[in-house]
Amino acid sequence: MLLPLGHLRHLRSVGEFGYATQVVAMPGREAVLVPNYEQHRLDVLCSQPAAFDEQLCAPDIDDGEVVETLRTPSAVALMADGLAWVVESDLYSVVKVDLEEKLRLHEIERSQLGDGAFPEDVAIADDALLVLSRRNGETTDHCVSVFSASTGEFQHSFGGWGKGRSE
């Protein structure tokens, strides 16, 4: 039975969402993606039972050891080629991952975002990766850094640190 997109149900996830702060529509699918901070994975919710994977980049067990592709994901920006940029909140970084292969491809560290930056959100515009960061400990002190979405190379930033207009 096909449900309207507004009537999604969660498929076979272990546990509950832990500190979910974002939901992203998955283009070409009747599904959404939710970063699951507490479970270290991305959860897929869809309107068709068993139509999609229920978890992306979930931790694996390798020789008895837990291997995590993501740690504390809180925001995600999907790319058209099965790749995504994900904010790892507790690590203060943004990482590019291959969702199918569970591979970490590139990492933008906190030092590349600016002194005391805490990444909060990401978006893709053409080949630009936009990273919204705030100064650690502040609630209104934000900046946007622009990177190449394909390479992760820093391009420029705007809306510098401060509390005035455009700062």
Side-chain angles (χ1 to χ4, degrees):
M1 176 175 118
L2 185 61
L3 300 172
L5 193 55
H7 295 181
L8 299 176
R9 64 189 188 111
H10 198 248
L11 298 178
R12 296 176 309 234
S13 182
V14 178
E16 298 179 3
F17 289 129
Y19 308 104
T21 59
Q22 185 192 44
V23 62
V24 176
M26 298 181 75
R29 299 184 184 186
E30 291 185 30
V32 294
L33 190 63
V34 179
N36 192 329
Y37 171 98
E38 194 169 73
Q39 299 298 322
H40 308 282
R41 65 179 188 233
L42 304 172
D43 287 338
V44 177
L45 290 86
C46 64
S47 60
Q48 294 179 327
F52 305 104
D53 293 333
E54 71 282 356
Q55 301 167 356
L56 299 174
C57 297
D60 281 334
I61 305 293
D62 186 19
D63 291 331
E65 203 171 307
V66 176
V67 178
E68 296 175 328
T69 304
L70 297 172
R71 288 185 276 170
T72 64
S74 61
V76 63
L78 297 173
M79 297 176 67
D81 51 6
L83 305 177
W85 283 97
V86 181
V87 172
E88 291 185 310
S89 291
D90 289 358
L91 299 178
Y92 308 110
S93 65
V94 181
V95 63
K96 185 177 185 180
V97 294
D98 182 320
L99 297 174
E100 302 283 328
E101 300 295 324
K102 296 184 177 184
L103 295 173
R104 293 173 70 93
L105 303 175
H106 187 81
E107 185 173 353
I108 297 172
E109 297 177 356
R110 185 179 193 181
S111 61
Q112 294 174 268
L113 298 170
D115 186 35
F118 180 87
E120 289 189 329
D121 202 2
V122 288
I124 303 288
D126 295 326
D127 186 44
L129 169 67
L130 309 171
V131 181
L132 174 67
S133 301
R134 68 174 166 84
R135 192 180 301 269
N136 200 14
E138 298 291 328
T139 57
T140 60
D141 202 358
H142 290 82
C143 178
V144 176
S145 299
V146 181
F147 296 84
S148 164
S150 56
T151 67
E153 181 182 340
F154 177 78
Q155 305 292 316
H156 62 278
S157 64
F158 58 91
W161 302 117
K163 295 183 191 227
R165 187 173 170 91
S166 297
E167 295 181 338

